[in-house]
Amino acid sequence: MRDKIYNLGGQENQAVSDAYSMLSGNIYMESENKKIKSIVITSSEPKTGKTSVATSLAITMASWGKRIILIDADMRKRNDSKVLKKGSDFGLSQYLNGSAEFEEVLCDTNFDGLMYIPNGSIALNPIGLICSSRFVKLLESLKNEFDYILLDTPPLDAVSDAAVISAKVDSVLLVAKMGKTDLASVNRAKEKLEKANANLLGVVINTVNKRHYKRYLNSYKYFYNDKNEIGKNEKSNKKAVTA
């Protein structure tokens, strides 16, 4: 229902916001060359923060003036996301099985230019729904309405949903969690995507701590110093007003 709104939280950490801006910029440049519009966000294993990555990426791209639609394509779990707190009772599974129409599953969000389709109720046969002609037609119609389609899918080690969807979209982002995801797991995921003839854009390393960020990315100091300067200027202005 279009009268339902999903409330998404934006990034308050400047370094994280800048990282998503860099990621969005890389995707934009790649899409200019290869006409990328539909992107699967997946991981090799659960609990890597892939949904947070998909959500933050969608918000960042929408803030650039792009029309974005984020789809929760994990029809194996209940619609109880902590990030997307409330919305339509209908979702992707109902649309694909024919029990709901597009307008009934499409939801607004609290960000301009960003729409959302929840997963809906748990599907008995999610692979069958993904392989249906209705799913292919949905992707094709969304390409005409939106600049980018982001699909949040189940982990590759758990089920084959992500691999099947990856074969039907333009590209894939693989999310790995710092200190949790090992190289062997990433390689397994990469092999599954290659078998599906998926176009792997790259790997997003999530939850990088400040120590590693400062060590491997010199721009951290630039952003940190810039933020400090802004804070100093604000304090100076307050003192000037008080005086």
Side-chain angles (χ1 to χ4, degrees), residues 26-39 143 148 169-172 198-202:
N26 289 336
I27 291 172
Y28 176 76
M29 288 187 290
E30 190 72 14
S31 65
E32 287 291 287
N33 297 327
K34 298 181 180 179
K35 304 300 180 184
I36 293 171
K37 297 199 70 173
S38 54
I39 306 170
K143 284 184 178 182
Y148 292 98
V169 300
D170 300 327
S171 58
V172 182
N199 174 32
L200 180 60
L201 279 179

Side-chain angles (χ1 to χ4, degrees), residues 86-125:
K86 61 180 180 178
S88 172
D89 294 329
F90 295 118
L92 182 63
S93 59
Q94 283 88 3
Y95 174 78
L96 294 180
N97 68 25
S99 61
E101 296 303 319
F102 180 68
E103 284 297 323
E104 294 179 287
V105 303
L106 184 65
C107 301
D108 292 303
T109 71
N110 53 320
F111 288 89
D112 291 339
L114 175 56
M115 307 296 291
Y116 177 70
I117 296 179
N119 59 354
S121 59
I122 297 176
L124 297 177
N125 182 21

Side-chain angles (χ1 to χ4, degrees), residues 2 11 14 16 24 30 49 66 70 110-111 149 152 164 190 205-206 215 222 229 233:
R2 293 299 297 278
Q11 288 291 342
Q14 186 60 46
V16 175
S24 300
E30 190 72 14
K66 302 296 181 182
L70 175 63
N110 53 320
F111 288 89
I149 306 161
D152 179 14
V164 175
K190 180 174 177 289
I205 308 299
N206 195 23
R215 180 179 178 184
Y222 169 80
E229 287 300 319
N233 290 336

Side-chain angles (χ1 to χ4, degrees), residues 164-224:
V164 175
I165 297 175
S166 296
K168 300 177 182 294
V169 300
D170 300 327
S171 58
V172 182
L173 279 176
L174 184 63
V175 178
K177 186 174 183 179
M178 190 78 167
K180 181 180 187 294
T181 308
D182 56 33
L183 186 58
S185 182
V186 172
N187 284 332
R188 285 197 304 271
K190 180 174 177 289
E191 289 173 2
K192 290 179 181 179
L193 292 172
E194 287 174 346
K195 288 180 180 178
N197 292 320
N199 174 32
L200 180 60
L201 279 179
V203 179
V204 177
I205 308 299
N206 195 23
T207 63
V208 178
N209 61 47
K210 187 184 293 185
R211 178 169 57 86
H212 287 107
Y213 195 85
K214 290 171 70 175
R215 180 179 178 184
Y216 295 109
L217 192 64
N218 292 329
S219 60
Y220 176 86
K221 187 175 181 181
Y222 169 80
F223 295 125
Y224 180 77

Side-chain angles (χ1 to χ4, degrees), residues 17-53:
S17 296
D18 290 326
Y20 278 108
S21 291
M22 291 171 64
L23 177 60
S24 300
N26 289 336
I27 291 172
Y28 176 76
M29 288 187 290
E30 190 72 14
S31 65
E32 287 291 287
N33 297 327
K34 298 181 180 179
K35 304 300 180 184
I36 293 171
K37 297 199 70 173
S38 54
I39 306 170
V40 157
I41 293 90
T42 189
S43 60
S44 59
E45 58 194 349
K47 301 186 183 302
T48 59
K50 115 188 116 49
T51 295
S52 295
V53 170

